[in-house]
Amino acid sequence: MSSPREERVIEEFQRRRQTLLRNFALAMVLIGLGLGLRQLIDSYPNFLGIGVNTWRALSIAQLISGVVFAVTGFNQYKCPVCDKILRAHDKYYLGVAINPDKCPHCGARLS
Ligand SMILES: [Zn+2]
């Protein structure tokens, strides 16, 4: 059985985990769209009457925001107790433990 304090830690960690997964999903969509857009403007240089440079800038903006979302998600994915990012050496997913039972640093229960 876990104490109310442990319950709060688990709850807070699960919230951060959701943010991480949501940000990674968003990042993948944005990067996918950015790359798709680049291919599209190669095939249709004047797509929708908008110039190539505008499309190119837009696709770069999508790629950058995708990376920003991924990094932001990664940076907030910390143990609520010791505040360290949950890196993992097994079950790699961009180098973080996606569903850890315990914090690898301080041993706090996280799920
Ligand atoms: Zn910890």
Side-chain angles (χ1 to χ4, degrees), residues 29-95:
V29 169
L30 281 166
I31 290 169
L33 278 177
L35 293 175
L37 197 55
R38 289 189 81 90
Q39 289 196 326
L40 190 73
I41 53 180
D42 282 344
S43 318
Y44 307 96
N46 227 352
F47 188 60
L48 297 180
I50 296 165
V52 172
N53 288 338
T54 310
W55 283 120
R56 209 156 268 163
L58 200 64
S59 76
I60 289 168
Q62 282 177 338
L63 293 176
I64 291 171
S65 35
V67 170
V68 168
F69 269 116
V71 170
T72 315
F74 184 77
N75 278 336
Q76 60 85 51
Y77 191 59
K78 291 171 178 166
C79 167
V81 177
C82 67
D83 222 32
K84 292 209 170 87
I85 290 178
L86 288 147
R87 294 175 186 282
H89 297 291
D90 55 344
K91 291 181 191 154
Y92 271 107
Y93 191 74
L94 297 181

Coordinates of all heavy atoms in Angstrom, one line a residue, residues 29-95:
V29 N 3.8 14.6 -35.8 CA 2.8 15.1 -36.8 C 3.4 16.3 -37.5 O 3.4 16.4 -38.7 CB 1.5 15.4 -36.1 CG1 0.6 16.3 -37.0 CG2 0.8 14.2 -35.7
L30 N 4.0 17.2 -36.7 CA 4.5 18.5 -37.3 C 5.7 18.2 -38.2 O 5.8 18.8 -39.3 CB 5.0 19.4 -36.1 CG 3.8 20.2 -35.5 CD1 4.3 20.8 -34.2 CD2 3.3 21.3 -36.4
I31 N 6.6 17.3 -37.7 CA 7.7 17.0 -38.6 C 7.3 16.2 -39.8 O 7.8 16.5 -40.9 CB 8.8 16.1 -37.8 CG1 9.4 17.0 -36.7 CG2 9.8 15.5 -38.7 CD1 10.3 16.3 -35.7
G32 N 6.3 15.3 -39.7 CA 5.7 14.7 -40.9 C 5.1 15.6 -41.9 O 5.4 15.6 -43.1
L33 N 4.3 16.6 -41.3 CA 3.7 17.6 -42.2 C 4.8 18.5 -42.9 O 4.7 18.8 -44.0 CB 2.8 18.5 -41.4 CG 1.4 18.0 -41.0 CD1 0.7 19.0 -40.1 CD2 0.6 17.8 -42.3
G34 N 5.8 18.8 -42.1 CA 6.9 19.7 -42.6 C 7.6 19.0 -43.8 O 7.8 19.6 -44.8
L35 N 7.9 17.7 -43.6 CA 8.6 17.0 -44.6 C 7.7 16.7 -45.8 O 8.1 16.9 -47.0 CB 9.1 15.6 -44.1 CG 10.2 15.7 -43.0 CD1 10.5 14.3 -42.5 CD2 11.4 16.3 -43.6
G36 N 6.4 16.4 -45.6 CA 5.4 16.3 -46.6 C 5.3 17.5 -47.5 O 5.2 17.5 -48.7
L37 N 5.2 18.6 -46.8 CA 5.1 19.9 -47.4 C 6.3 20.2 -48.3 O 6.1 20.7 -49.5 CB 5.0 21.0 -46.4 CG 4.4 22.4 -46.8 CD1 3.1 22.2 -47.5 CD2 4.3 23.3 -45.6
R38 N 7.5 19.8 -47.9 CA 8.7 20.0 -48.7 C 8.6 19.3 -50.0 O 8.9 19.7 -51.1 CB 9.9 19.6 -47.9 CG 10.2 20.5 -46.8 CD 11.6 20.2 -46.2 NE 12.7 20.8 -47.0 CZ 13.2 22.0 -46.8 NH1 12.7 22.7 -45.8 NH2 14.1 22.5 -47.5
Q39 N 8.0 18.0 -49.9 CA 7.9 17.2 -51.1 C 6.9 17.8 -52.1 O 7.0 17.8 -53.3 CB 7.5 15.8 -50.8 CG 8.7 15.0 -50.1 CD 8.5 13.6 -50.1 OE1 7.3 13.1 -50.0 NE2 9.5 12.8 -50.2
L40 N 5.8 18.3 -51.4 CA 4.7 18.9 -52.2 C 5.2 20.1 -53.0 O 4.8 20.2 -54.2 CB 3.6 19.3 -51.2 CG 2.2 19.7 -51.9 CD1 1.5 18.5 -52.4 CD2 1.4 20.4 -50.8
I41 N 5.9 21.0 -52.4 CA 6.4 22.2 -53.1 C 7.4 21.9 -54.1 O 7.6 22.6 -55.1 CB 6.9 23.3 -52.1 CG1 8.0 22.8 -51.2 CG2 5.7 23.9 -51.4 CD1 8.5 23.8 -50.2
D42 N 8.1 20.7 -54.0 CA 9.0 20.3 -55.0 C 8.2 19.9 -56.3 O 8.6 20.2 -57.4 CB 9.9 19.1 -54.6 CG 11.0 19.6 -53.7 OD1 11.3 20.8 -53.6 OD2 11.6 18.7 -53.0
S43 N 7.1 19.3 -56.1 CA 6.3 18.8 -57.2 C 5.4 19.9 -57.7 O 5.2 20.0 -58.9 CB 5.4 17.6 -56.8 OG 6.1 16.7 -56.0
Y44 N 4.8 20.8 -56.8 CA 4.0 21.9 -57.3 C 4.5 23.2 -56.8 O 4.1 23.7 -55.7 CB 2.5 21.7 -56.7 CG 2.0 20.3 -57.0 CD1 2.0 19.3 -56.1 CD2 1.3 20.1 -58.3 CE1 1.5 18.0 -56.4 CE2 0.8 18.8 -58.5 CZ 0.8 17.8 -57.6 OH 0.3 16.6 -57.8
P45 N 5.5 23.8 -57.5 CA 6.1 25.0 -57.0 C 5.2 26.1 -56.7 O 5.6 27.0 -55.9 CB 7.1 25.3 -58.1 CG 7.3 24.1 -58.9 CD 6.0 23.3 -58.8
N46 N 4.1 26.2 -57.3 CA 3.2 27.4 -57.1 C 1.9 26.9 -56.5 O 0.8 27.5 -56.7 CB 3.0 28.2 -58.4 CG 3.2 29.7 -58.1 OD1 3.3 30.1 -57.0 ND2 3.2 30.4 -59.2
F47 N 2.0 26.0 -55.6 CA 0.8 25.4 -55.0 C -0.1 26.5 -54.3 O 0.4 27.3 -53.5 CB 1.2 24.3 -53.9 CG 0.1 23.5 -53.4 CD1 -0.7 22.8 -54.1 CD2 -0.1 23.5 -52.0 CE1 -1.7 22.0 -53.6 CE2 -1.1 22.8 -51.4 CZ -1.9 22.0 -52.2
L48 N -1.4 26.5 -54.7 CA -2.4 27.5 -54.1 C -2.0 28.9 -54.4 O -2.4 29.8 -53.7 CB -2.6 27.3 -52.6 CG -3.1 25.9 -52.2 CD1 -3.2 25.9 -50.6 CD2 -4.5 25.6 -52.8
G49 N -1.1 29.1 -55.4 CA -0.7 30.5 -55.8 C 0.2 31.1 -54.8 O 0.5 32.3 -54.8
I50 N 0.7 30.3 -53.9 CA 1.7 30.8 -52.9 C 3.1 30.4 -53.3 O 3.3 29.3 -53.7 CB 1.3 30.3 -51.5 CG1 -0.1 30.7 -51.1 CG2 2.3 30.7 -50.4 CD1 -0.7 30.0 -49.9
G51 N 4.0 31.4 -53.1 CA 5.3 31.2 -53.6 C 6.1 30.1 -52.9 O 5.8 29.7 -51.8
V52 N 7.1 29.5 -53.6 CA 7.9 28.5 -53.0 C 8.6 28.9 -51.7 O 8.7 28.1 -50.7 CB 9.0 28.0 -54.0 CG1 10.0 27.1 -53.4 CG2 8.4 27.4 -55.3
N53 N 9.1 30.1 -51.7 CA 9.8 30.6 -50.4 C 8.9 30.6 -49.2 O 9.3 30.3 -48.1 CB 10.4 32.0 -50.7 CG 11.6 31.9 -51.6 OD1 12.2 30.8 -51.8 ND2 11.9 33.0 -52.2
T54 N 7.6 31.0 -49.4 CA 6.6 31.0 -48.3 C 6.4 29.6 -47.8 O 6.4 29.3 -46.6 CB 5.3 31.6 -48.8 OG1 5.6 32.9 -49.4 CG2 4.4 31.8 -47.6
W55 N 6.2 28.7 -48.8 CA 6.0 27.3 -48.4 C 7.2 26.7 -47.7 O 7.1 26.0 -46.7 CB 5.7 26.4 -49.6 CG 4.3 26.5 -50.1 CD1 3.9 27.0 -51.4 CD2 3.1 26.3 -49.4 NE1 2.6 27.0 -51.5 CE2 2.0 26.6 -50.3 CE3 2.8 25.8 -48.1 CZ2 0.7 26.4 -49.9 CZ3 1.4 25.7 -47.8 CH2 0.4 26.0 -48.7
R56 N 8.4 27.1 -48.2 CA 9.6 26.6 -47.6 C 9.7 27.0 -46.2 O 10.0 26.3 -45.3 CB 10.8 27.0 -48.5 CG 11.9 26.1 -48.4 CD 12.8 26.2 -49.6 NE 12.5 25.3 -50.7 CZ 12.8 25.4 -51.9 NH1 13.6 26.5 -52.3 NH2 12.5 24.5 -52.9
A57 N 9.4 28.3 -46.0 CA 9.5 28.9 -44.6 C 8.5 28.2 -43.7 O 8.8 27.9 -42.5 CB 9.2 30.4 -44.7
L58 N 7.3 27.9 -44.2 CA 6.3 27.3 -43.4 C 6.7 25.9 -43.0 O 6.6 25.4 -41.9 CB 5.0 27.2 -44.3 CG 3.7 27.0 -43.5 CD1 3.4 28.2 -42.6 CD2 2.6 26.8 -44.5
S59 N 7.3 25.1 -44.0 CA 7.7 23.8 -43.7 C 8.9 23.8 -42.7 O 8.9 22.9 -41.8 CB 8.1 23.0 -44.9 OG 9.4 23.4 -45.4
I60 N 9.8 24.8 -42.8 CA 10.9 24.9 -41.8 C 10.3 25.2 -40.4 O 10.7 24.6 -39.4 CB 11.9 25.9 -42.2 CG1 12.7 25.4 -43.4 CG2 12.9 26.3 -41.1 CD1 13.5 26.4 -44.2
A61 N 9.3 26.1 -40.4 CA 8.6 26.5 -39.1 C 8.0 25.2 -38.5 O 8.1 25.1 -37.3 CB 7.6 27.6 -39.3
Q62 N 7.4 24.4 -39.3 CA 6.8 23.2 -38.8 C 7.8 22.2 -38.2 O 7.6 21.6 -37.1 CB 6.0 22.5 -39.8 CG 4.6 23.1 -40.1 CD 3.9 22.5 -41.2 OE1 4.4 21.8 -42.0 NE2 2.6 22.7 -41.2
L63 N 8.9 22.1 -38.9 CA 10.0 21.2 -38.4 C 10.6 21.7 -37.1 O 10.7 21.0 -36.2 CB 11.2 21.1 -39.5 CG 10.8 20.4 -40.8 CD1 12.0 20.5 -41.7 CD2 10.4 19.0 -40.5
I64 N 10.8 23.1 -37.0 CA 11.3 23.6 -35.8 C 10.3 23.5 -34.6 O 10.7 23.0 -33.6 CB 11.7 25.1 -36.0 CG1 12.9 25.2 -37.0 CG2 12.0 25.8 -34.7 CD1 13.2 26.6 -37.4
S65 N 9.0 23.8 -34.9 CA 8.1 23.6 -33.8 C 8.0 22.2 -33.4 O 7.8 21.9 -32.2 CB 6.7 24.2 -34.1 OG 6.4 24.1 -35.4
G66 N 8.1 21.2 -34.3 CA 8.1 19.8 -33.9 C 9.3 19.5 -33.0 O 9.1 18.8 -32.0
V67 N 10.4 20.0 -33.3 CA 11.6 19.8 -32.4 C 11.4 20.4 -31.1 O 11.7 19.8 -30.0 CB 12.9 20.3 -33.1 CG1 14.1 20.3 -32.1 CG2 13.2 19.4 -34.4
V68 N 10.8 21.6 -31.1 CA 10.6 22.3 -29.8 C 9.6 21.5 -28.9 O 9.9 21.4 -27.7 CB 10.0 23.8 -30.1 CG1 9.5 24.4 -28.8 CG2 11.1 24.6 -30.7
F69 N 8.6 21.0 -29.5 CA 7.6 20.2 -28.8 C 8.3 19.0 -28.2 O 8.1 18.7 -27.0 CB 6.5 19.7 -29.6 CG 5.3 20.7 -29.6 CD1 4.9 21.4 -30.8 CD2 4.6 20.9 -28.5 CE1 3.8 22.2 -30.8 CE2 3.5 21.8 -28.5 CZ 3.1 22.5 -29.6
A70 N 9.1 18.3 -29.0 CA 9.8 17.1 -28.5 C 10.7 17.5 -27.3 O 10.7 16.8 -26.3 CB 10.6 16.5 -29.6
V71 N 11.5 18.5 -27.5 CA 12.5 18.9 -26.4 C 11.7 19.4 -25.2 O 12.1 19.0 -24.0 CB 13.4 20.1 -27.0 CG1 14.2 20.7 -25.8 CG2 14.3 19.5 -28.0
T72 N 10.7 20.2 -25.3 CA 9.9 20.6 -24.2 C 9.3 19.4 -23.4 O 9.4 19.4 -22.2 CB 8.7 21.5 -24.6 OG1 9.2 22.5 -25.6 CG2 8.1 22.3 -23.5
G73 N 8.8 18.5 -24.1 CA 8.2 17.3 -23.5 C 9.3 16.5 -22.7 O 9.1 16.1 -21.6
F74 N 10.4 16.4 -23.4 CA 11.6 15.7 -22.8 C 12.0 16.4 -21.5 O 12.3 15.7 -20.5 CB 12.7 15.6 -23.8 CG 13.9 14.8 -23.4 CD1 13.8 13.4 -23.4 CD2 15.0 15.5 -22.9 CE1 14.9 12.7 -23.0 CE2 16.1 14.7 -22.5 CZ 16.1 13.3 -22.5
N75 N 12.1 17.7 -21.5 CA 12.7 18.5 -20.4 C 11.8 18.5 -19.2 O 12.3 18.7 -18.1 CB 13.0 19.9 -20.8 CG 14.3 20.0 -21.5 OD1 15.2 19.1 -21.3 ND2 14.5 21.0 -22.4
Q76 N 10.5 18.3 -19.4 CA 9.6 18.3 -18.2 C 9.4 16.9 -17.7 O 8.7 16.7 -16.7 CB 8.3 19.0 -18.5 CG 7.5 18.4 -19.7 CD 6.6 17.2 -19.2 OE1 5.8 17.4 -18.2 NE2 6.7 16.1 -19.8
Y77 N 10.0 15.9 -18.4 CA 9.7 14.5 -18.0 C 10.7 14.1 -16.9 O 11.7 13.5 -17.1 CB 9.9 13.6 -19.2 CG 9.5 12.2 -19.0 CD1 8.2 11.8 -18.6 CD2 10.4 11.1 -19.2 CE1 7.8 10.5 -18.5 CE2 10.0 9.8 -19.0 CZ 8.7 9.5 -18.6 OH 8.3 8.2 -18.5
K78 N 10.4 14.6 -15.6 CA 11.3 14.5 -14.5 C 10.6 13.7 -13.4 O 9.4 13.8 -13.3 CB 11.8 15.8 -14.0 CG 12.7 16.5 -15.0 CD 13.0 17.9 -14.6 CE 13.9 18.6 -15.6 NZ 13.9 20.1 -15.4
C79 N 11.4 13.1 -12.6 CA 10.9 12.5 -11.4 C 10.4 13.6 -10.4 O 11.2 14.6 -10.2 CB 12.0 11.7 -10.7 SG 11.7 11.2 -9.0
P80 N 9.2 13.6 -9.9 CA 8.7 14.6 -9.1 C 9.5 14.7 -7.7 O 9.4 15.8 -7.1 CB 7.2 14.3 -8.8 CG 6.9 13.2 -9.8 CD 8.2 12.5 -10.2
V81 N 10.2 13.7 -7.4 CA 10.9 13.7 -6.1 C 12.3 14.3 -6.2 O 12.6 15.2 -5.5 CB 10.9 12.2 -5.5 CG1 11.7 12.2 -4.2 CG2 9.5 11.7 -5.3
C82 N 13.1 13.7 -7.1 CA 14.5 14.2 -7.2 C 14.7 15.1 -8.4 O 15.8 15.7 -8.6 CB 15.4 13.0 -7.3 SG 15.3 12.0 -8.8
D83 N 13.7 15.3 -9.3 CA 13.8 16.3 -10.4 C 14.8 15.9 -11.4 O 15.4 16.8 -12.1 CB 14.1 17.7 -9.8 CG 13.2 18.7 -10.5 OD1 12.1 18.4 -11.0 OD2 13.7 19.9 -10.7
K84 N 15.1 14.6 -11.6 CA 16.0 14.2 -12.6 C 15.2 13.6 -13.8 O 14.2 13.0 -13.6 CB 17.0 13.2 -12.1 CG 18.0 13.7 -11.1 CD 19.3 13.0 -11.1 CE 20.4 13.6 -10.3 NZ 20.3 13.2 -8.9
I85 N 15.7 13.9 -15.0 CA 15.0 13.3 -16.2 C 15.2 11.8 -16.2 O 16.3 11.3 -15.9 CB 15.6 13.9 -17.5 CG1 15.2 15.4 -17.6 CG2 15.1 13.2 -18.7 CD1 15.7 16.1 -18.8
L86 N 14.1 11.1 -16.5 CA 14.1 9.6 -16.4 C 14.7 9.0 -17.7 O 14.0 8.5 -18.5 CB 12.7 9.1 -16.2 CG 12.2 9.5 -14.8 CD1 10.7 9.8 -14.8 CD2 12.5 8.4 -13.9
R87 N 16.0 9.0 -17.7 CA 16.7 8.3 -18.8 C 16.7 6.8 -18.6 O 16.6 6.4 -17.4 CB 18.1 8.8 -18.9 CG 18.2 10.3 -19.3 CD 19.6 10.8 -19.2 NE 19.7 12.2 -19.5 CZ 19.6 12.7 -20.6 NH1 19.5 12.0 -21.7 NH2 19.6 14.0 -20.8
A88 N 16.7 6.1 -19.7 CA 16.7 4.6 -19.5 C 17.8 4.0 -20.4 O 18.2 4.5 -21.4 CB 15.3 4.1 -19.9
H89 N 18.2 2.8 -20.0 CA 19.2 2.1 -20.8 C 18.5 0.9 -21.4 O 19.2 0.2 -22.2 CB 20.3 1.7 -19.9 CG 21.1 2.8 -19.4 ND1 21.8 3.7 -20.2 CD2 21.1 3.4 -18.1 CE1 22.3 4.7 -19.4 NE2 21.9 4.5 -18.2
D90 N 17.3 0.6 -21.1 CA 16.6 -0.5 -21.8 C 15.3 0.1 -22.3 O 14.8 1.1 -21.8 CB 16.4 -1.7 -20.9 CG 15.7 -1.3 -19.6 OD1 15.6 -0.1 -19.3 OD2 15.2 -2.2 -18.9
K91 N 14.6 -0.6 -23.2 CA 13.4 -0.1 -23.8 C 13.5 1.3 -24.3 O 12.7 2.2 -23.8 CB 12.2 -0.3 -22.8 CG 11.9 -1.8 -22.6 CD 10.7 -1.9 -21.7 CE 10.5 -3.3 -21.2 NZ 9.9 -3.4 -19.9
Y92 N 14.5 1.6 -25.1 CA 14.7 2.9 -25.5 C 13.5 3.5 -26.2 O 12.8 2.9 -27.0 CB 15.9 2.9 -26.6 CG 17.2 3.1 -25.9 CD1 18.1 2.0 -25.8 CD2 17.6 4.3 -25.4 CE1 19.3 2.2 -25.2 CE2 18.8 4.5 -24.7 CZ 19.6 3.4 -24.6 OH 20.8 3.5 -24.1
Y93 N 13.3 4.8 -25.9 CA 12.3 5.6 -26.6 C 12.8 7.0 -26.5 O 12.6 7.7 -25.6 CB 10.9 5.5 -26.0 CG 9.8 6.1 -26.9 CD1 9.4 5.4 -28.1 CD2 9.3 7.3 -26.6 CE1 8.5 6.0 -28.9 CE2 8.3 7.8 -27.4 CZ 7.9 7.2 -28.5 OH 6.9 7.7 -29.3
L94 N 13.7 7.3 -27.5 CA 14.4 8.6 -27.4 C 15.2 8.7 -26.1 O 15.4 9.8 -25.5 CB 13.5 9.8 -27.6 CG 12.8 9.9 -28.9 CD1 11.9 11.1 -29.0 CD2 13.8 9.9 -30.1
G95 N 15.7 7.6 -25.6 CA 16.5 7.6 -24.4 C 15.8 7.9 -23.1 O 16.5 8.1 -22.1

